[in-house]
Amino acid sequence: MRADMYLLYLLLRLLALLPLRVLHGIGGGLGHLLLWRRGRMVHNTAVNLRIARPELDAAAHAALLREVLVESGKSASEIVKVWGAGAHRALALVREVRGEALLDAALAAGKGVIIAAPHLGCWELLNYWLCRRTPMAILYRPPRIAAIEGLLRKVRGALAPEQVRADGAGVRTLYKRLAAGGTVGILPDQKPRAGEGQFAPFFGREALTMVLLPRLAARTGATVLFAFAERLPRGAGYRIHLRPAPPELADPDPGRACAALNRGVQDCVELAFAQYQWQYKRYSADGLVSPYDR
């Protein structure tokens, strides 16, 4: 690990001594600051919220925007606790698990498990929880700063998933792992590269959607489960959710499969709406009129 990354690691360890409630309070303050500055992130978030909740009047929309930004701030500040405290101590913050029997059954079936984990709640804590249950590989794109990978390996420790690059060789690795009855994790709302996706509705508007996850499910027969870690109020901890995927997700028709994939993400989001990463430009792609242009 580079010296600067090691110093950052030590800082995380120190700040992790703060109670989660305090860290969430700091994050909430950051969210209010973002709202006050009215930058590009706030603009993109507001656009997405108008698409997802078109029935809201101006006052209700402003209140929802404020709530979403506060939760976004908490998402940033809680990483201090999740990374700095270490995986096993962070897992002590899990207060409840809903749907664990679905994972038990899927693992027992031995046909492979695909965890579809949207950008919702605290997905880093979800990774810890899943890796404690079963060895897991996750599809990822390398960070822009290569040294961060060393920091991630350090903070995740023994509960680090196998990281598989999002390229041809990585996809073949996922197929082999599923064929052997293993578990893989994928962000189902990650916007694919041009030519690698399918347009499908997401909260009532067409969005470029990955075809990889449905193809993996269709070709391997693996069980697909949606999962996320919900942030509880007042720093009380987290609730893990595991939910079955819509049956059409493995449909050979890519349009039907991707629509089912987005519907599964939506169902999760509706359980913790403000905790979704709404700043993401999900509706921007070649062939679509971007709603984000000012």
Side-chain angles (χ1 to χ4, degrees):
M1 186 189 302
R2 269 179 16 187
D4 56 345
M5 290 294 108
Y6 189 73
L7 288 175
L8 178 56
Y9 168 72
L10 294 178
L11 179 61
L12 288 172
R13 295 281 292 180
L14 179 62
L15 293 176
L17 297 174
L18 293 172
L20 182 61
R21 185 171 184 174
V22 172
L23 291 170
H24 277 170
I26 294 171
L30 175 61
H32 284 291
L33 179 61
L34 290 171
L35 182 61
W36 175 73
R37 292 191 62 186
R38 289 281 173 177
R40 173 60 66 176
M41 172 186 166
V42 175
H43 171 73
N44 294 342
T45 302
V47 169
N48 286 332
L49 293 179
R50 282 194 290 268
I51 291 171
R53 290 288 189 264
E55 73 280 4
L56 296 182
D57 61 21
H61 179 268
L64 180 59
L65 177 61
R66 186 181 308 109
E67 182 184 2
V68 167
L69 291 172
V70 166
E71 292 298 328
S72 295
K74 292 179 182 179
S75 177
S77 64
E78 70 192 3
I79 286 298
V80 169
K81 194 74 169 179
V82 175
W83 284 354
H88 293 285
R89 288 184 180 178
L91 282 169
L93 296 169
V94 175
R95 308 303 184 201
E96 182 184 1
V97 179
R98 296 183 178 178
E100 189 170 7
L102 295 171
L103 180 60
D104 292 337
L107 293 173
K111 296 182 179 180
V113 182
I114 301 173
I115 299 294
H119 290 83
L120 178 64
C122 186
W123 51 86
E124 190 68 26
L125 184 66
L126 175 68
N127 275 345
Y128 287 162
W129 188 86
L130 289 167
C131 288
R132 186 172 65 176
R133 289 295 318 275
T134 179
M136 186 174 71
I138 60 172
L139 189 68
Y140 88 114
R141 292 174 183 169
R144 294 177 181 176
I145 303 174
I148 291 179
E149 290 199 56
L151 175 63
L152 291 177
R153 285 193 296 270
K154 180 71 173 177
V155 298
R156 287 169 173 167
L159 293 182
E162 177 188 355
Q163 296 188 109
V164 178
R165 290 178 178 262
D167 55 23
V171 171
R172 289 191 290 274
T173 297
L174 296 185
Y175 275 109
K176 290 178 182 177
R177 180 176 280 264
L178 290 172
T183 301
V184 304
I186 299 177
L187 298 168
D189 48 354
Q190 187 81 43
K191 189 168 67 175
R193 296 186 180 93
E196 298 180 359
Q198 167 80 35
F199 289 118
F202 183 62
F203 281 95
R205 186 181 179 112
E206 293 292 295
L208 189 62
T209 304
M210 70 160 56
V211 296
L212 173 61
L213 196 156
R215 285 176 179 171
L216 283 170
R219 295 178 184 177
T220 66
T223 300
V224 180
L225 297 176
F226 283 83
F228 68 99
E230 179 188 3
R231 189 177 304 115
L232 299 176
R234 295 178 292 279
Y238 300 87
R239 177 185 294 122
I240 302 291
H241 294 263
L242 293 139
R243 299 173 57 83
E248 299 87 358
L249 193 146
D251 194 287
D253 178 78
R256 286 171 55 87
C258 288
L261 178 64
N262 284 347
R263 192 162 64 250
V265 174
Q266 281 187 218
D267 290 345
C268 291
V269 172
E270 293 293 357
L271 294 175
F273 188 87
Q275 296 182 28
Y276 189 59
Q277 188 175 302
W278 287 108
Q279 66 268 30
Y280 194 42
K281 295 173 68 174
R282 184 68 197 278
Y283 301 103
S284 176
D286 291 342
L288 294 178
V289 175
S290 174
Y292 306 104
D293 296 335
R294 291 179 184 261

